[in-house]
Amino acid sequence: RVEHPAGGYKKLFETVEELSSPVTAHVTGWIPTWLRGSLLRCGPGLFEVGAEPFYHLFDGQALLHKFDFKEGHVTYHRRFVRTDAYVRAMTEKRIVITEFGTYAYPDPCKNIFSRFFSYFKGVEVTDNALVNVYPVGEDYYACTETNFITKINPDTLETIKQVDLCKYVSVNGATAHPHIENDGTVYNIGNCFGKNFSLAYNIIRIPPLQADKEDPMNKSEVVVQFPCSDRFKPSYVHSFGLTSSYIVFVETPVKINLLKFLSSWSLWGANYMDCFESNETMGVWLHVAEKKKGRLLNIKYRTSAFNLFHHINTYEDNGFLIVDLCTWKGFEFVYNYLYLANLRANWDEVKRQAEKAPQPEARRYVLPLNIDKADTGKNLVTLPYTTATATLRSDETIWLEPEVIFSGPRHAFEFPQINYKKYAGKPYTYTYGLGLNHFVPDRLCKLNVKTKETWVWQEPDSYPSEPIFVSHPDALEEDDGVVLSIVISPGAGPKPAYLLILNAKDMSEVARAEVEVNIPVTFHGLFKRA
C-alpha cells in the first residue's frame, strides 16, 4: 500500500491559468509514429472566484485540455470553456450560478424588491461543462449532467455555443456518458417527467450525420422510457449499458428529492447536493429494454444497495446479459465524500474520511433474458465462466449476486476504459482503470476480467488521470495499442505534469511528454485521431 504523507495530491485541486497558445512538451522515450491526433480532456480549473470558494469537486469552472501528437512531437493547450457560468463569474467577479455543491448568493447590488421577484424565476441551471467531451456528427460538445451542453472547437479549444437539450428532446438533463456507436449514432439517458405526473428515464438517440449535413441534434428522438421506482424521486443516473440489441439501466438508491429540487433554492441557500437522499430499503433495480424495438422487458431484477457511476462494458452471451460495473457498496451517496475540503485534507485525515465511505468493488452481474416460472427458487445462470447468480423468487423478481472482478480495501478500480471501438457491447477481456487510494488517484491498472489478473503502473507522489486506450491502427489483438494518462508529480522538480504513454500489453512506460505548468484534475475525455 502506497502512502501520500507529502500531500502532493492537493495540487489536483489548485486553480491554474489558461494558455494563450499551445506549449511544446519535452518528450522522453519514443512516441509511436502511428499515434497522431489529440487527447481532449475536461475538468475543473478555477476553484474560486475572487474571495468566494467553490466547495465541491464538481463545482470548479470547466477547463478543456488538449495534448496534440504529430510526428513524435507533443504540444499541450488549455482554455476555459466560455459557459454562462464562467462568463458571468468573470464579468461580475463573483459566483453567479449555483454549482453542484456551491450556492450562488443573490446579487448584493440588487435591492430587496428585485431579489424577492427573482425568487419566482426558479433555479438557473448550471452549464459548467467540466465532466466530458464527446462527438455528435462532426461536432464536439463539452458537457456536465444538466440540459446544457457546450459546442467547442476541438482544434483551437474555443467555445462555439451553448445548446439546450430540452429544445430537442423531452429530458431534464442527460449524462456525461453517452454511448457512441461506430456509425456515429449517439445514445444517452436522462430523467424526465413521464406519464400521469410520475417520473421516468428517457433513452435518447441522436442519429449519425446524413448526406444532407443537417445538424443531427435536430433529429434526436426518445427511443424508450424506463419507469421510476418512486414516482416522485428519480434516481441519480451517471451512465448506462448498451449492446447491439439491449439497453441496461441500473436504478440505484441515490435519489433526487424533486420537491427540494424545484422549490426555490434561493429561499434557503440550497445547491444540487442538498437535493440528494438515499432510499435505505429499495436496494438496486436493474431494467432492460430491446434497443431496436424500444420495448421494455418485463423482468424485475433486484440486488443489494450500491452506488454506480461507471459501467465498464455490457455484452450478450447465450441468452444472458453480462453487466460489468464499478460499484460502491451501500446506499450512502459517495459524492458526500468529494467536497474539496475532504480531498485537500492531510493524508491521515483523507484516510480517516475514506474509512467511513462506501467501499469500492468492480463487479460482474449476469441477467438471464429467458425466464421460466418452473425454475422458481433456482439459479438461472448456466454460463460456465462466472460465479454470478440470478435466482428466480416466488414474487417473480430475480435476485442477483455478483462475481467480484476487482476488490481491495479502500482501493477503487474506477474511471474504466476499454478498447471501445472494437469491443463496446461485445465479449471482451481487458479494462483499464484509474486506481483510487482512499479517493486519491495514485496508479493506473489494467484488469483481465476473465482471469482477474492485474498490471499496475505506479510511481511515488504521482497522480494520474483516467487512462484512455488508443488502438494500434493494425491491431490484431484487443490490447494492441497504448494507454494515455495525464500525470501530475508536484514533488519532482521543474516539470510538475506530464502526458504518460504506456504499452497497453503490460502497462510499461513507452514515453512521457513533460510540461512546465501544473494540470489540475480531469475527469473524462477522448482521443481524436488525426
Side-chain angles (χ1 to χ4, degrees):
R1 170 185 297 289
V2 176
E3 304 284 330
H4 302 285
Y9 52 83
K10 297 175 191 181
K11 281 275 189 209
L12 289 165
F13 316 112
E14 232 169 65
T15 292
V16 294
E17 292 185 355
E18 63 179 13
L19 296 171
S20 48
S21 59
V23 295
T24 304
H26 173 257
V27 174
T28 53
W30 281 269
I31 310 271
T33 46
W34 57 263
L35 187 67
R36 294 177 56 242
S38 323
L39 176 71
L40 293 166
R41 294 189 59 76
C42 287
L46 180 75
F47 293 90
E48 63 286 311
V49 179
E52 299 183 20
F54 289 111
Y55 292 107
H56 200 273
L57 176 60
F58 303 134
D59 295 349
Q61 297 301 288
L63 185 57
L64 188 56
H65 307 255
K66 174 169 72 99
F67 278 92
D68 257 335
F69 305 86
K70 197 173 174 184
E71 272 98 65
H73 297 283
V74 183
T75 59
Y76 170 64
H77 194 30
R78 66 177 176 219
R79 302 285 294 180
F80 282 103
V81 185
R82 266 47 178 189
T83 58
D84 283 358
Y86 178 81
V87 170
R88 291 172 67 179
M90 292 301 103
T91 309
E92 300 191 33
K93 299 186 172 40
R94 65 185 189 91
I95 297 171
V96 181
I97 304 282
T98 292
E99 297 291 355
F100 197 73
T102 303
Y103 171 67
Y105 285 92
D107 187 346
C109 307
K110 283 192 176 147
N111 67 34
I112 190 72
F113 293 106
S114 56
R115 293 241 297 266
F116 179 75
F117 283 108
S118 69
Y119 285 148
F120 299 102
K121 279 215 309 278
V123 180
E124 281 196 275
V125 172
T126 182
D127 62 343
N128 182 24
L130 80 163
V131 184
N132 202 357
V133 53
Y134 63 89
V136 176
E138 288 175 345
D139 302 320
Y140 284 80
Y141 290 90
C143 68
T144 176
E145 303 185 315
T146 65
N147 53 298
F148 295 116
I149 59 176
T150 306
K151 192 169 168 178
I152 55 105
N153 178 323
D155 301 318
T156 65
L157 306 187
E158 285 166 319
T159 301
I160 299 169
K161 65 169 183 180
Q162 180 200 75
V163 171
D164 181 355
L165 293 169
C166 294
K167 297 219 163 61
Y168 299 94
V169 273
S170 147
V171 285
N172 303 327
T175 76
H177 292 287
H179 277 283
I180 298 167
E181 299 190 318
N182 287 338
D183 68 357
T185 305
V186 177
Y187 283 87
N188 208 340
I189 187 170
N191 296 120
C192 67
F193 293 103
K195 299 173 185 60
N196 59 32
F197 284 113
S198 68
L199 267 293
Y201 311 89
N202 277 344
I203 294 279
I204 58 179
R205 176 180 174 274
I206 310 170
L209 194 66
Q210 305 295 313
D212 64 10
K213 293 284 184 195
E214 195 200 332
D215 183 354
M217 293 291 294
N218 294 325
K219 300 173 182 171
S220 7
E221 53 177 6
V222 172
V223 288
V224 64
Q225 185 167 92
F226 288 108
C228 186
S229 63
D230 175 331
R231 55 180 288 192
F232 297 120
K233 291 175 184 174
S235 291
Y236 174 68
V237 51
H238 191 93
S239 66
F240 64 104
L242 190 70
T243 71
S244 58
S245 310
Y246 296 97
I247 302 165
V248 178
F249 164 51
V250 179
E251 192 174 21
T252 71
V254 175
K255 292 290 186 178
I256 300 161
N257 183 328
L258 271 185
L259 295 173
K260 276 190 189 171
F261 192 84
L262 298 174
S263 67
S264 199
W265 289 4
S266 42
L267 286 173
W268 51 291
N271 56 52
Y272 296 79
M273 274 297 287
D274 295 322
C275 299
F276 290 102
E277 57 189 46
S278 294
N279 179 318
E280 304 189 0
T281 56
M282 71 172 276
V284 167
W285 297 17
L286 292 88
H287 308 266
V288 176
E290 291 178 5
K291 189 174 92 177
K292 299 198 176 53
K293 297 196 184 87
R295 193 174 67 90
L296 238 42
L297 294 196
N298 185 23
I299 308 178
K300 296 183 168 67
Y301 303 99
R302 301 287 183 266
T303 190
S304 47
F306 57 75
N307 284 224
L308 169 66
F309 306 102
H310 302 120
H311 280 249
I312 303 173
N313 199 9
T314 315
Y315 66 89
E316 303 155 40
D317 185 1
N318 274 306
F320 296 93
L321 278 174
I322 286 75
V323 181
D324 291 350
L325 309 172
C326 294
T327 68
W328 297 78
K329 301 178 215 177
F331 50 70
E332 194 198 354
F333 196 21
V334 171
Y335 288 5
N336 293 342
Y337 294 86
L338 302 183
Y339 282 93
L340 291 166
N342 282 13
L343 299 172
R344 288 170 172 150
N346 291 329
W347 179 237
D348 286 334
E349 178 58 21
V350 163
K351 285 200 290 191
R352 214 176 57 77
Q353 287 290 334
E355 299 291 328
K356 305 189 299 197
Q359 293 305 304
E361 194 163 79
R363 294 175 168 180
R364 166 165 290 182
Y365 286 93
V366 177
L367 283 54
L369 295 168
N370 311 308
I371 314 299
D372 182 349
K373 281 206 184 95
D375 291 329
T376 302
K378 295 198 186 107
N379 169 26
L380 309 179
V381 180
T382 53
L383 297 174
Y385 57 80
T386 180
T387 55
T389 63
T391 307
L392 180 58
R393 301 194 291 190
S394 52
D395 62 0
E396 292 185 19
T397 60
I398 294 182
W399 183 261
L400 306 175
E401 288 293 343
E403 171 184 357
V404 175
I405 52 181
F406 181 89
S407 190
R410 280 151 306 274
H411 275 217
F413 179 94
E414 256 292 352
F415 295 87
Q417 289 286 319
I418 60 168
N419 181 340
Y420 188 87
K421 209 161 178 57
K422 290 207 183 99
Y423 291 87
K426 301 188 175 81
Y428 74 115
T429 306
Y430 302 110
T431 173
Y432 308 86
L434 177 62
L436 304 182
N437 173 0
H438 298 78
F439 296 115
V440 172
D442 69 356
R443 64 198 191 284
L444 297 169
C445 186
K446 175 186 183 179
L447 171 65
N448 180 324
V449 296
K450 295 176 175 167
T451 66
K452 305 181 182 59
E453 185 181 2
T454 58
W455 296 258
V456 172
W457 178 91
Q458 185 166 41
E459 282 186 10
D461 302 310
S462 300
Y463 305 99
S465 73
E466 167 191 67
I468 293 205
F469 175 84
V470 184
S471 182
H472 188 289
D474 310 314
L476 297 173
E477 295 179 275
E478 180 180 342
D479 56 353
D480 280 345
V482 294
V483 166
L484 307 181
S485 175
I486 298 175
V487 184
I488 70 157
S489 49
K495 299 271 203 281
Y498 55 94
L499 186 284
L500 176 67
I501 305 181
L502 301 179
N503 180 343
K505 285 271 178 205
D506 61 0
M507 300 298 275
S508 61
E509 181 169 337
V510 173
R512 61 177 68 182
E514 301 175 304
V515 294
E516 292 174 16
V517 289
N518 182 37
I519 302 179
V521 63
T522 55
F523 299 128
H524 299 291
L526 55 81
F527 185 77
K528 175 180 179 281
R529 290 185 192 263

